[in-house]
Amino acid sequence: MIFAKRAFLSSGWADNVRLTHEAGRLTGIDTGATPQPGDTVVDTLLPALANLHSHSFQRAMAGMTEFRMAGKDSFWTWRDLMYRFTGTLTPEQIEAIAALVFLEMQEAGYASVGEFHYLHHQPGGTPYDDLGELSARIAAAAARTQIGLTHLPVLYTYGGAGQAPLQSGQARFGNSVERYADLVARARAAVKELPSDCRVGIAPHSLRATSPDDLRAALAAHDDGPIHIHISEQPKEVTDIQAWLGARPVEWLLDNAPVNADWCLIHATHMTEAETLDMAKSGAVAGLCPITEANLGDGPFNGPTYLTAGGRFGLGSDSNVRISLTEELRTLEYSQRLRDLARNVMVVGEGSVGETLYTGAARGGAQALGRGTGEIAVGQLADLVAIDSNDPALCALRADQLLDGLAFAASDNVVTDLWSAGRHAVREGRHVARGRIMADYRAAMASLMAAL
Ligand code: NGQ
Ligand code: ZN
C-alpha cells in the first residue's frame, strides 16, 4: 500500500494519505492516516498523466534533423528524413525503441501512452506473415515496461490530399480499409495479452492520408475505443484540404464525422475562432504536443478561446524528440505567452497555471485514452506519480503552489515513483527494468546505424 505525506486528491490537497489498490484500481483512500509497516512511503502523490500521442520509433532519430540545409527546412523536409529513417527499422529495433520510450515516459511521470502506430509492414510494403507483427512489438514493449497502453493502429491509405498514391517512403504504412479491419483485429489480439487497463482504439492518420468514404467505412466498422486523428498541424495541410474538400480540416471533420468525447484531435493548431468554439463544444480532446509542435515549427494552439469555451485538452510527446512532462507543460504555456505578449494565459479567470494545465491534461489525457483515471479517487485506475517536494526547485513552495513549481521550475528528476494501474514501475527515480531496456536500446541503435 502507499503512504503519502501529501496527496492531490479529487477533493484537493490532503495530508498523511494512505491508499490501497487492487487489480489496478484504487480501493481505499484514508486521510490523516499513519504509515503501516510495509507501506511504500512517498512525499507528494499526484494523479499520473496519460501521454496521449506518441510515435515511439521517432525517438531514435532525435537530434538527427537539426542541421540547417540550404535555408529551406520545413515540416515537410523533416518528414522526408523521417521516412528515410523508417526504411530499415526491424521488428526487434522497433520493440527496443518503444521499450526505451515507454520507460522514459514513466520516469518522467506518465503512467500511460497512446501509441499512434503506423509502421505496419516490411520495408517496401509487403505485410509481415502476421499482419499485426509490429503491433505485437508495441504490445511487447508495453509488457516489458508495464506502462498502460492504448494502442492506436493507424489507417494510412493515401500519400496526400485528394487520394494521391502513397509515396515510396510511405509503403510501410499503407492499408486499404478492408485490410485495416484485419490489422485492428490482430492488434486487439496482441493487446489482450496485456493487463486489462490496456486497450485498442483506431486512428485514421489524417484527412490527407484517408478519404471521406474510407473514413466513413472505418468509423462504421468501429464499435469501441477512442478515435484519434492528426488535424490542422501545418498551414499547407489547411490549404490542401480546403482545395480538395472545400472546407478547413477541423471545419470539415466537425461537419462530416460524428466527433464527440471519444475523439482526440491531434494538434488542431491552425483553427479559426469558429472552428475553435465548435471543437470545444464537440467534447473531443485537443491532443496538444507542445515540444514537437515547437520543434517542427507548427505554431501555437488557440488556447484562450478554446479554454474559455470549456474545451478539453491533453498532452502528447508525438515525435519524442524529448520526453519530459514538465517541459511539455511549460512549453504549452510559453507558446501562448510568446504569441500574446502576456503572462499566465492558460487559465480562465484567476488561478494557478500549473494546476490548470496539470489537472486539465490529467482529465483530458484519460478521456483521450479511454482510461478510467485522471484524478485520485476510489474506483479510478491507480495511475500515480510521486514527486519529491524537498527538491530545491520545490522546497520553498506551499502545497497549492507545487503544481506551478512542477510546471515551471522543476525537472523530471523530482519524480521518485510511478504506478501504471497499480504496477510500481519507477522506484527511487529509476525504472525497475532500466538496465536491460537500456542495453537492448543501445544494441538496437548500433545495428540500426550500421544499416542506415
Ligand atoms: C507523423 N508527425 O505521423 O509522424 C507525423 C508526420 C505526417 C507529425 N505530424 C507525418 N508531427 O503528418 O504526414
Ligand atoms: Zn503525430
Side-chain angles (χ1 to χ4, degrees):
M1 302 305 107
I2 305 167
F3 180 85
K5 290 179 193 143
R6 180 191 300 116
F8 189 69
L9 307 179
S10 52
S11 49
W13 285 105
D15 289 332
N16 299 316
V17 181
R18 191 157 185 270
L19 301 98
T20 52
H21 59 90
E22 221 180 281
R25 288 189 186 277
L26 290 167
T27 49
I29 301 173
D30 290 327
T31 59
T34 41
Q36 305 295 312
D39 283 359
T40 300
V41 177
V42 299
D43 181 79
T44 299
L45 196 68
L46 305 171
L49 261 57
N51 184 333
L52 58 65
H53 188 71
S54 159
H55 311 290
S56 54
F57 74 86
Q58 291 176 13
R59 176 71 180 141
M61 57 184 274
M64 294 182 188
T65 62
E66 311 297 333
F67 184 96
R68 187 175 171 99
M69 305 238 293
K72 56 170 191 195
D73 289 277
S74 73
F75 173 89
W76 307 101
T77 56
W78 168 85
R79 195 177 74 155
D80 287 342
L81 282 166
M82 186 269 281
Y83 287 172
R84 256 198 276 156
F85 195 77
T86 63
T88 64
L89 283 170
T90 66
E92 292 74 22
Q93 290 162 352
I94 287 165
E95 179 180 329
I97 298 166
L100 183 275
V101 163
F102 297 165
L103 169 153
E104 290 189 331
M105 288 176 183
Q106 288 170 300
E107 289 188 350
Y110 296 108
S112 60
V113 60
E115 178 66 18
F116 194 106
H117 171 76
Y118 59 88
L119 208 46
H120 300 305
H121 310 310
Q122 301 182 52
T126 306
Y128 290 96
D129 290 344
D130 173 2
L131 185 60
E133 166 76 33
L134 297 182
S135 282
R137 295 297 182 153
I138 298 297
R144 290 175 63 181
T145 55
Q146 309 185 68
I147 201 165
L149 175 69
T150 293
H151 183 55
L152 300 160
V154 170
L155 173 64
Y156 201 115
T157 313
Y158 306 103
Q163 299 181 245
L166 291 176
Q167 304 165 23
S168 62
Q170 299 165 325
R172 298 190 78 174
F173 319 157
N175 284 297
S176 64
V177 180
E178 292 71 31
R179 194 164 73 186
Y180 179 67
D182 295 344
L183 176 68
V184 172
R186 294 303 305 150
R188 284 193 195 280
V191 170
K192 237 198 173 94
E193 308 292 318
L194 298 175
S196 62
D197 58 293
C198 297
R199 57 181 311 181
V200 172
I202 62 166
H205 179 275
S206 51
L207 293 180
R208 59 195 150 77
T210 181
S211 73
D213 285 347
D214 289 355
L215 182 61
R216 251 187 303 277
L219 291 173
H222 177 68
D223 49 15
D224 177 45
I227 304 159
H228 287 221
I229 186 168
H230 289 119
I231 201 144
S232 285
E233 181 181 11
Q234 283 279 322
K236 178 178 185 304
E237 186 186 345
V238 177
T239 49
D240 284 358
I241 295 297
Q242 223 165 2
W244 176 34
L245 300 175
R248 300 169 58 87
V250 172
E251 180 187 12
W252 188 89
L253 190 74
L254 293 173
D255 283 348
N256 291 278
V259 177
N260 60 21
D262 291 334
W263 287 66
C264 181
L265 276 47
I266 307 299
H267 307 302
T269 310
H270 299 282
M271 295 195 289
T272 62
E273 287 292 289
E275 284 177 298
T276 308
L277 295 170
D278 288 344
M279 179 175 162
K281 251 186 266 160
S282 75
V285 175
L288 307 178
C289 308
I291 293 175
T292 296
E293 288 155 7
N295 182 269
L296 296 179
D298 292 339
F301 180 68
N302 189 2
T305 300
Y306 189 73
L307 283 197
T308 304
R312 304 171 194 184
F313 68 93
L315 291 171
S317 61
D318 192 0
S319 69
N320 296 309
V321 61
R322 177 154 164 71
I323 296 172
S324 167
L325 173 51
T326 57
E327 200 166 304
E328 295 291 1
L329 290 164
R330 71 183 69 109
T331 303
L332 173 55
E333 170 66 18
Y334 288 161
S335 69
Q336 309 292 304
R337 294 186 188 186
L338 286 164
R339 178 197 55 210
D340 294 351
L341 312 181
R343 301 194 71 251
N344 301 336
V345 179
M346 289 292 280
V347 176
V348 181
E350 294 185 350
S352 152
V353 178
E355 185 174 323
T356 304
L357 291 178
Y358 196 92
T359 57
R363 281 193 302 270
Q367 177 182 322
L369 296 199
R371 236 177 127 72
T373 185
E375 52 180 23
I376 301 181
V378 169
Q380 294 271 296
L381 289 174
D383 286 348
L384 303 167
V385 60
I387 61 172
D388 178 12
S389 70
N390 300 304
D391 186 274
L394 304 175
C395 68
L397 301 177
R398 299 186 309 265
D400 65 355
Q401 295 172 317
L402 278 177
L403 291 171
D404 288 327
L406 186 69
F408 296 101
S411 308
D412 295 325
N413 65 3
V414 299
V415 171
T416 61
D417 295 81
L418 180 116
W419 290 261
S420 294
R423 301 180 292 275
H424 194 179
V426 176
R427 301 170 191 230
E428 295 177 9
R430 288 172 67 87
H431 195 284
V432 293
R434 196 170 217 279
R436 180 72 203 279
I437 288 173
M438 284 291 158
D440 287 355
Y441 179 73
R442 287 181 201 285
M445 288 310 286
S447 67
L448 174 61
M449 296 325 288
L452 268 185

